[in-house]
Amino acid sequence: MNTYVPKAVQEALDTARLQGMRRKSRLRVMADNELYPVLRLWKTGFSVEAETAPMLRGLVDIYDGARHVSQCLIVAGEEEGGEMRYEFKRSTPAADKAPVDFYKSPDGPAGLIPFDQSQGKI
C-alpha cells in the first residue's frame, strides 16, 4: 500500500514531533561549554535537533537535568526528519566518587582507631 503525504504536511508532522520530544526530554548534551537538548537516547547513541546543534564530534558529556549521566566519545551518524543522530564509540557512566583499587569487605570496619603501643592506650 502506497501512502502519499504532501511535503507541507510531512514538514508540519516532523515539526510537531520534534516539539513534543523537546518538551518531554530533560537530557542535555554538553559540547564546547554549550548545552543542546537531547531528543532521544538509546543504548548505542542519541539524537539532537539538526537545526539547533552544530555538527558534534569527539568527547561530550550527557546530563539529566543537573546530574552528570555519562561521558561519551561520539561520531556523527545521519540526519533524518530534523534529527541528527550520533553513535557512541565509548560511553562511560559518571560516578560521584573515585573508584577504589582494592577490595572493600562489606563487614569490615568503617574506620581504624590508632593504637599507641608505647602507652598501651588508644
Side-chain angles (χ1 to χ4, degrees):
M1 176 172 149
N2 288 336
T3 305
Y4 175 74
V5 179
K7 186 175 181 178
V9 173
Q10 184 63 45
E11 288 174 359
L13 289 171
D14 288 341
T15 303
R17 182 178 51 83
L18 289 174
Q19 286 176 350
M21 284 193 286
R22 199 179 313 125
R23 269 188 247 122
K24 282 193 264 182
S25 180
R26 291 175 30 106
L27 295 174
R28 304 281 182 262
V29 62
M30 180 181 266
D32 299 328
N33 292 328
E34 293 289 327
L35 286 171
Y36 305 101
V38 173
L39 300 176
R40 294 186 300 133
L41 178 71
W42 56 93
K43 193 174 189 175
T44 60
F46 66 94
S47 69
V48 296
E49 193 171 354
E51 291 179 6
T52 60
M55 286 297 292
L56 303 174
R57 62 182 245 192
L59 197 60
V60 298
D61 293 305
I62 296 181
Y63 290 88
D64 182 5
R67 187 175 62 91
H68 190 204
V69 176
S70 64
Q71 189 176 53
C72 309
L73 186 61
I74 61 169
V75 293
E78 70 274 352
E79 181 181 345
E80 183 180 325
E83 289 181 73
M84 186 64 193
R85 297 180 185 166
Y86 296 94
E87 300 295 322
F88 297 140
K89 279 184 137 181
R90 174 184 65 84
S91 179
T92 306
D96 58 349
K97 56 186 171 187
V100 295
D101 60 349
F102 55 90
Y103 175 73
K104 283 182 122 178
S105 176
D107 58 343
L112 296 175
I113 300 174
F115 179 73
D116 187 4
Q117 289 183 343
S118 63
Q119 298 286 327
K121 299 179 184 176
I122 295 179

